[in-house]
Amino acid sequence: SAVISQKPSRDICQRGTSLTIQCQVDSQVTMMFWYRQQPGQSLTLIATANQGSEATYESGFVIDKFPISRPNLTFSTLTVSNMSPEDSSIYLCSVRRPQETQYFGPGTRLLVL
Amino acid sequence: AQKVTQAQTEISVVEKEDVTLDCVYETRDTTYYLFWYKQPPSGELVFLIRRNSFDEQNEISGRYSWNFQKSTSSFNFTITASQVVDSAVYFCALSRVTGGGNKLTFGTGTQLKVEL
């Protein structure tokens, strides 16, 4: 398994501002993922962040809105830029090793006013 | 394209009842992984099980059991003698074994409420 921590655990932000969410893993992993869960909804993949390469974004998500960094094999950040109330969600970091299962961090609850 | 359907939006049971959560999936892959996750009110996503498509044996873990039927593309989850602590949203998910970035495709989730 993997121990994953996220910061902050929750935040309330004003529209038009940006928030950076950090994800730290207790051991090296190749694949890290960022998911969004809007209120009462299922999880949707935002992007895949592999160390040493640009993040790969899913349809409907763009780098200008959700820039991602992956400086090493245990850490990643997701920034939610120019926020609007529609960005209010839980943002979850996830990791997966080849041939292993996928584990999730505790999530960051974001409320945009 | 991959798709996971959890037709039951919400289920309410009384404690000690058995309950089955349904999951039906669609994929063109011949090999794939299926998952169940639990999301309690606190919000974290708790891994319950991963099943490879070539392993059709049913699995039991304590009060939890899973019935994988490849012929009907279903991967149902049964909780025996449910408890209040089982109250949560349960997600079924599907991923490719290789390629596609190994991303998970989630169902819409089933809210389980276990009452005294």
Side-chain angles (χ1 to χ4, degrees):
Chain A
S1 64
V3 177
I4 307 168
S5 60
Q6 284 185 235
K7 291 181 181 179
S9 58
R10 59 179 63 232
D11 208 341
I12 302 173
C13 300
Q14 297 297 320
R15 68 171 66 210
T17 62
S18 298
L19 175 72
T20 296
I21 302 168
Q22 299 179 6
C23 177
Q24 179 76 51
V25 190
D26 66 338
S27 56
Q28 294 183 346
V29 291
T30 304
M31 291 181 282
M32 294 183 77
F33 307 86
W34 287 97
Y35 285 81
R36 181 177 74 180
Q37 185 179 23
Q38 294 177 300
Q41 303 296 314
S42 186
L43 285 82
T44 302
L45 180 65
I46 298 172
T48 301
N50 292 330
Q51 196 267 339
S53 62
E54 294 289 325
T56 303
Y57 289 82
E58 296 296 305
S59 175
F61 297 97
V62 295
I63 188 171
D64 288 347
K65 175 67 175 177
F66 297 101
I68 287 171
S69 77
R70 181 80 199 274
N72 57 54
L73 290 173
T74 63
F75 186 79
S76 178
T77 67
L78 169 75
T79 298
V80 186
S81 304
N82 188 25
M83 288 183 286
S84 67
E86 292 70 36
D87 294 319
S88 299
S89 297
I90 300 175
Y91 292 86
L92 296 110
C93 170
S94 176
V95 303
R96 183 170 181 174
R97 297 189 179 90
Q99 305 306 314
E100 293 187 8
T101 198
Q102 191 158 339
Y103 294 98
F104 287 80
T108 295
R109 292 178 181 270
L110 172 62
L111 176 63
V112 184
L113 302 176
Chain B
Q2 300 191 322
K3 183 179 179 181
V4 176
T5 301
Q6 294 180 255
Q8 303 152 308
T9 305
E10 185 173 320
I11 301 175
S12 290
V13 299
V14 177
E15 201 175 38
K16 298 184 182 177
E17 286 185 359
D18 298 346
V19 58
T20 295
L21 310 181
D22 297 333
C23 174
V24 175
Y25 61 91
E26 297 175 28
T27 179
R28 293 181 181 177
D29 294 341
T30 54
T31 57
Y32 45 88
Y33 289 120
L34 292 163
F35 301 78
W36 276 95
Y37 288 88
K38 173 182 179 181
Q39 188 176 43
S42 55
E44 78 271 26
L45 217 60
V46 179
F47 165 77
L48 296 179
I49 189 171
R50 182 187 76 164
R51 172 52 51 88
N52 191 308
S53 56
F54 60 72
D55 180 5
E56 290 196 63
Q57 279 193 333
N58 290 329
E59 183 156 342
I60 298 175
S61 176
R63 295 185 296 110
Y64 296 168
S65 62
W66 291 269
N67 183 357
F68 178 33
Q69 296 281 346
K70 203 168 184 177
S71 60
T72 57
S73 298
S74 66
F75 187 44
N76 296 338
F77 172 34
T78 298
I79 301 175
T80 303
S82 60
Q83 300 175 2
V84 173
V85 293
D86 295 327
S87 297
V89 180
Y90 290 86
F91 291 99
C92 181
L94 168 70
S95 82
R96 309 184 74 177
V97 172
T98 58
N102 298 115
K103 73 173 189 177
L104 289 174
T105 299
F106 283 86
T108 51
T110 297
Q111 170 85 58
L112 174 64
K113 294 184 179 180
V114 182
E115 299 167 336
L116 292 172

